[in-house]
Amino acid sequence: MCGIVGYIGKSQAAPILLDGLSKLEYRGYDSAGIAVYDGEHIRGQKSIGRLKALSELTHDGATMPGTAGIGHTRWATHGAPSNENAHPHFNEDETIAVVHNGIIENYLKLKKKLAEKEYHFVSDTDTEVVAHLLDYYYKGNPIEAITKVMHRVEGSYALGIMFREHPGIVYAVRKDSPLIVGHGKDGNLIASDVPAVLKYTRNVYFIQNEEIAVLSEDSITFYNVDGEEIQKESSAIDWDINAAEKAGYEHFMLKEMYEQPKTVRDTLNPRIRDGAVVIEELGMTDEEISQIRKIHIVACGSAYHTGVTAKYVFEGMARIPVEVDLASEFRYRNPILQEQDLVIIISQSGETADSLAALREAKRKGVKTLGIVNVVGSSIAREADKVMYTWAGPEIAVATTKAYSAQLVAEYLLAIKFAQVRGEITETEVRAYLKDLQKLPEQIEMLLSNKERIQHFANRYVSARDVFFVGRGIDYAISMEGSLKLKEISYIHSEAYAAGELKHGTISLIEEGTLVAAVLTQEDLYKKTISNIVELTSRGAFVLAVTNAGNTEIEKAADYVIYIPQTNRWFTNSLAIIPLQLFSYYVSVGRGCDVDKPRNLAKSVTVE
Ligand code: M6R
């Protein structure tokens, strides 16, 4: 979703804004703009399309002199991508400039009221309302105007604001949309995500809901919604700057796939001690774990897919009933939650609007909540009762790979812990599970090293029209993720089906040569899925099978086979997904798609 950057300091602002915005490109956008105070006026420049167009227009920022500015990459919600709708937005005499992430839900009502007061609008956006409303309330004191606006607008927002009458200051405010402040050596910055400021500082403040930050060249002050000054602690970001760079890989997605062994290790190792699972951050006593009546897993997209896998693992290993919900459904279906239930919200970004709303719904109903989150200090991490971090580091490609893998292993660890506490598995079994888990990084490396074979296969399918992914049990969950990976980055239509369900409709779509990826990692379901493969091949399907090493008889039924190393049945997703990720990646590259920033998609979906 949209990206925000702001700078005030000793250096020229425009090149810093453009550079910062380039670090936020992964979030997805369709236009970009910056505004810089030039010593007399706040000047804006906007451009639709890629940031490169804005850089060219401004000669890499050289045509926009000044040391204070705000910038934005817009992912269109209200109004088509156009220069008029691109940010920054201004009040009529261009003395106030605003960039905004989020959605002002009551903007139509506000727009009508402002129009009655002779305010004129030049865009279709909800954001322009904020610029005019600030103008309406501004009587010389920006904080007063900002707090009044905060009381009037409904919805979510992260705002960067400049007032011409206060040229040495950049203002920032947020509610339900992420925003950070970076404290740099020669100036201060705001941004919607850490990568945008990493080049200038590692010292950041996370702005919380309804807080205002006031940045000058050499000071940062915070206020609450009542305009009272508040104190905040800064945090040191310990990522290596390379973590947010491509480091020689052609795409972030490829780099992140190759980071999976490390991610899995980093998520596992701190939680395995002397042959036992230790999840200190869980903060639950053994008694509380024993009393869990039901687990509700709530998430979106790929995070939801890891939840589907976790359902099988929690139920199979720990014998705890699990319901898995898409967050966008859970939040509106008035779920039945009881005191002894546990709600687990899974999110890479920790900012997904539906997941955050689902978390709040669970908390409102008085149920214990646990966030499995990747981004430290994100909204879900802060608001969940407990948070278990996945240590994947920054994930830039829109298509998740390493965060997905980290989520899976975090869920396995929880399941083992719960199963042991509840007496469902013995200490010996725990040790065996942990041994298998610790082998995963090396096994993933091995699968990644086999990429040429998958690349070769993918090249044959760059023109595919439809691809189906099928499997049973955990293999169905793997298929869902395989299918999502393919469609989101290659734009090829693809569906995942429970293999036993094909006969109930989907099989009519199979034609001569239709590619079906079948996943068979669950030994007890293996023969059943083979029968489904035979049904498919006899109707002309070309079947790619992903199965465990040793299952060579599959070669009689499938057309192309990829073997994954042996692991415990609960952990096969971590291995089987690797060839499917590689397949999607190479199909996308072969089709010339924008692998890291697929059309219409955003990395962090902060609107409903
Ligand atoms: O940040 P989150 O984990 O909450 O995001 C959830 C989904 O938007 C995300 O997993 C999405 O499906 C990915 N782009 C898939 O690759």
Side-chain angles (χ1 to χ4, degrees), residues 382-501:
R382 285 196 323 270
E383 292 190 29
D385 297 324
K386 301 287 172 201
V387 57
M388 183 174 177
Y389 282 111
T390 49
W391 297 115
E395 191 178 61
I396 308 294
V398 164
T400 181
T401 51
K402 63 174 180 170
Y404 172 88
S405 286
Q407 286 164 357
L408 282 175
V409 295
E411 289 154 20
Y412 302 154
L413 285 173
L414 265 183
I416 296 171
K417 173 84 192 164
F418 287 4
Q420 187 178 18
V421 170
R422 293 165 72 103
E424 295 290 344
I425 53 174
T426 63
E427 214 180 297
T428 317
E429 283 171 306
V430 172
R431 284 184 189 276
Y433 284 137
L434 295 182
K435 216 168 144 198
D436 279 332
L437 282 184
Q438 285 176 308
K439 278 192 212 150
L440 287 177
E442 219 175 288
Q443 292 174 322
I444 295 173
E445 262 156 31
M446 202 275 271
L447 285 162
L448 287 166
S449 69
N450 203 10
K451 71 175 193 324
E452 276 78 17
R453 188 159 173 262
I454 295 161
Q455 181 174 12
H456 176 72
F457 181 78
N459 286 341
R460 286 163 53 183
Y461 281 93
V462 290
S463 305
R465 196 188 58 183
D466 306 293
V467 179
F468 293 86
F469 289 75
V470 302
R472 289 167 179 260
I474 285 182
D475 293 337
Y476 174 45
I478 301 169
S479 302
M480 290 164 93
E481 177 60 7
S483 170
L484 177 63
K485 282 284 90 69
L486 182 69
K487 69 187 123 197
E488 71 176 325
I489 59 170
S490 74
Y491 318 145
I492 292 176
H493 166 253
S494 147
E495 289 185 37
Y497 262 84
E501 183 65 14

Side-chain angles (χ1 to χ4, degrees), residues 64-131:
M64 297 191 73
T67 57
I70 49 180
H72 191 261
T73 43
R74 173 175 186 256
W75 188 82
T77 54
H78 297 63
S82 69
N83 270 348
E84 291 72 33
N85 291 333
H87 301 209
H89 288 283
F90 290 86
N91 62 338
E92 268 177 59
D93 60 8
E94 304 201 337
T95 54
I96 301 173
V98 176
V99 288
H100 166 223
N101 286 359
I103 288 181
I104 307 297
E105 285 167 4
N106 59 341
Y107 87 104
L108 282 176
K109 201 166 115 197
L110 293 170
K111 194 168 179 175
K112 190 162 168 267
K113 291 209 161 146
L114 286 162
E116 281 162 15
K117 293 183 194 308
E118 303 295 314
Y119 280 92
H120 299 106
F121 290 80
V122 294
S123 78
D124 304 318
T125 64
D126 50 341
T127 307
E128 198 185 354
V129 164
V130 177

Side-chain angles (χ1 to χ4, degrees), residues 48 50 115 119 159 179 210 253 297 441 476 486 488 519 604:
I48 54 169
R50 290 291 175 216
Y119 280 92
L159 297 166
L179 200 60
E210 306 201 311
M253 184 178 171
I297 300 180
Y476 174 45
L486 182 69
E488 71 176 325
V519 186
S604 166

Side-chain angles (χ1 to χ4, degrees), residues 36 43 62 287 305 331 451 487 501 525 532 561 567 583:
V36 176
R43 305 260 182 224
E287 202 189 337
H305 298 156
R331 62 183 292 193
K451 71 175 193 324
K487 69 187 123 197
E501 183 65 14
L525 300 168
N532 300 128
V561 183
T567 186
F583 173 70

Side-chain angles (χ1 to χ4, degrees), residues 231-305:
Q231 302 304 318
K232 286 180 72 71
E233 294 283 315
S234 64
S235 311
I237 300 294
D238 57 5
W239 305 345
D240 180 341
I241 190 142
N242 291 330
E245 306 285 346
K246 276 195 222 152
Y249 285 89
E250 202 183 333
H251 297 102
F252 277 112
M253 184 178 171
L254 187 62
K255 172 177 175 257
E256 288 161 5
M257 282 193 280
Y258 273 83
E259 285 171 352
Q260 289 179 110
K262 177 177 181 324
T263 293
V264 168
R265 246 182 233 118
D266 290 351
T267 305
L268 284 177
N269 286 354
R271 291 160 176 140
I272 299 180
R273 278 183 229 152
D274 303 325
V277 178
V278 183
I279 311 175
E280 273 156 8
E281 60 272 45
L282 190 59
M284 285 175 87
T285 62
D286 286 0
E287 202 189 337
E288 283 171 323
I289 295 174
S290 303
Q291 283 171 356
I292 295 173
R293 185 195 71 103
K294 191 187 242 186
I295 296 175
H296 303 261
I297 300 180
V298 188
C300 302
S302 297
Y304 168 80
H305 298 156

Side-chain angles (χ1 to χ4, degrees), residues 16-46:
I16 294 177
L17 299 176
L18 291 169
D19 174 65
L21 291 177
S22 75
K23 302 293 186 303
L24 300 179
E25 281 191 288
Y26 72 90
R27 295 169 69 90
Y29 69 103
D30 36 49
S31 60
I34 56 175
V36 176
Y37 178 72
D38 69 1
E40 206 179 331
H41 297 101
I42 307 174
R43 305 260 182 224
Q45 273 293 3
K46 308 172 182 187

